[in-house]
Amino acid sequence: MRTALTLALAISMSAAAASAWAEDAKAPTPVGTTQDCKNPDALGVERVVQIDTTGAPGFGFQNFKAYDFLKDHEVVLTFDDGPWPGNTERVLKALADQCTKAMFFPIGKHAGWHPEILKKDIAAGMTVGSHTWSHKDLTKMTFDEAKTEVEMGIAAVSIASGNRPVAPFFRFPALRMPPEILKYLASRNIAIFSTDWDTFDFKLRRPEQVLRSVQKRLTKHGKGIILMHDFQHATSEAVPEILKWLKQNKFKIVQVVGKTPVEPLPEYKKMVIKEIGGGLASARPMSSVVKTISGPSAN
Ligand SMILES: [Zn+2]
């Protein structure tokens, strides 16, 4: 149900306006936006919604019912647990080939290990939130431990993306949500993204199974925020077919962006740098440091 004007969300705007925030945040110019799309049959982006995350509104019917912002046949694609070599890059390529956008919820440690891949998410104009530092179940720890997981996750994504602020969106590991952390996120004005439909792709080994899982849910329900994992190999191989199927079946992609990004807290940035190593913040892109000069992928 669509609720009243008091809602914290949903201003539709053009893809051009969507990049305004990225410019504010001094991001690299997004590439592969719909304006310079070379594929005339691309899935593209139907509309961009900007969310005012004041007070931490929640999205995804699995846990939150208040804000039903998708129209029939509209889909928000979300990918968790990256960035991961090969898999995340395959997902990004599939999205770029279809000139479309998704939300990513990277794990802080993975972002720390693979900052060059996280930077590709950002450069491609994706919405990049956070998903804790090490993907532990926050309901099984003290408040301070859980808060540290949340804040180190945000700090790691910020550092790995070149000390930028982070999209004000958070997803709980395994969607397990301690009430005191929900309150804490409200104090930080970070929206919570659950999901409408979980594909359970982490249990699937073959790309056809992941495709079928998406098809089944969207055919039945007609729209939704879809949870997948760019960390998963089978998913990364399924995404081109999923996007093709969405286009053929007249589904439209909605990109979600934040109104105000979240700033990482300095004490947690220090903790991340201590864990990952001081080189992270100043590391050059891996491709400018390490180059294959002989062998099958030499260039
Ligand atoms: Zn996860």
Side-chain angles (χ1 to χ4, degrees):
M1 75 221 75
R2 198 159 286 263
T3 44
L5 293 169
T6 50
L7 286 202
L9 77 92
I11 302 161
S12 282
M13 56 182 187
S14 68
S19 62
W21 171 39
E23 280 161 22
D24 290 344
K26 297 189 176 57
T29 307
V31 292
T33 54
T34 40
Q35 293 102 313
D36 55 25
C37 182
K38 304 231 171 10
N39 174 2
D41 297 319
L43 179 60
V45 173
E46 175 70 5
R47 64 184 179 118
V48 180
V49 297
Q50 184 191 63
I51 296 188
D52 177 348
T53 56
T54 305
F59 301 90
F61 287 163
Q62 200 160 308
N63 300 86
F64 303 99
K65 315 278 187 211
Y67 304 125
D68 182 5
F69 67 95
L70 293 179
K71 299 172 194 159
D72 182 46
H73 271 68
E74 285 189 340
V75 171
V76 176
L77 298 169
T78 71
F79 293 98
D80 291 6
D81 297 0
W84 205 252
N87 299 347
T88 300
E89 286 145 322
R90 250 188 307 279
V91 170
L92 286 175
K93 166 140 193 351
L95 293 167
D97 287 346
Q98 290 284 350
C99 307
T100 196
K101 307 288 189 222
M103 298 181 91
F104 286 77
F105 292 95
I107 294 173
K109 275 188 181 175
H110 291 181
W113 296 337
H114 306 292
E116 74 288 355
I117 304 174
L118 191 83
K119 285 188 178 80
K120 288 182 187 173
D121 292 348
I122 307 269
M126 302 298 157
T127 299
V128 181
S130 68
H131 191 42
T132 74
W133 167 245
S134 63
H135 210 269
K136 290 183 186 129
D137 180 346
L138 302 190
T139 62
K140 299 214 165 101
M141 51 180 77
T142 65
F143 171 76
D144 279 341
E145 287 167 344
K147 179 180 153 187
T148 300
E149 274 287 314
V150 170
E151 289 292 355
M152 282 180 76
I154 294 166
V157 170
S158 170
I159 295 167
S161 62
N163 285 309
R164 298 179 68 251
V166 177
F169 302 115
F170 177 77
R171 184 172 265 153
F172 284 93
L175 305 178
R176 295 176 63 84
M177 310 182 186
E180 63 275 23
I181 293 295
L182 286 167
K183 268 190 225 146
Y184 178 71
L185 291 168
S187 76
R188 292 279 274 138
N189 297 324
I190 298 170
I192 299 121
F193 261 77
S194 169
T195 185
D196 293 346
W197 317 117
D198 193 341
T199 58
F200 296 102
D201 60 339
F202 57 93
K203 295 182 181 168
L204 305 173
R205 289 284 158 264
R206 297 202 315 273
E208 323 68 275
Q209 295 172 310
V210 181
L211 172 64
R212 259 202 308 281
S213 176
V214 173
Q215 287 171 331
K216 204 170 85 187
R217 284 162 179 87
L218 284 178
T219 302
K220 184 164 177 205
H221 303 288
K223 65 174 190 173
I225 300 167
I226 305 280
L227 169 53
M228 292 181 276
H229 294 81
D230 55 312
F231 178 66
Q232 296 292 333
H233 185 79
T235 301
S236 74
E237 295 208 314
V239 174
E241 291 304 313
I242 291 170
L243 299 181
K244 243 186 260 171
W245 180 83
L246 289 171
K247 172 76 179 173
Q248 281 161 1
N249 288 276
K250 305 198 168 9
F251 286 97
K252 315 270 189 199
I253 298 297
V254 173
Q255 186 181 15
V256 176
V257 299
K259 188 174 175 199
T260 313
V262 60
E263 292 288 343
L265 301 177
E267 63 265 43
Y268 296 96
K269 284 180 82 171
K270 272 189 212 144
M271 289 165 80
V272 167
I273 288 167
K274 202 171 153 208
E275 288 264 350
I276 293 284
L280 176 65
S282 58
R284 286 180 283 150
M286 191 163 74
S287 58
S288 77
V289 181
V290 183
K291 190 173 180 184
T292 305
I293 54 167
S294 80
S297 57
N299 54 28

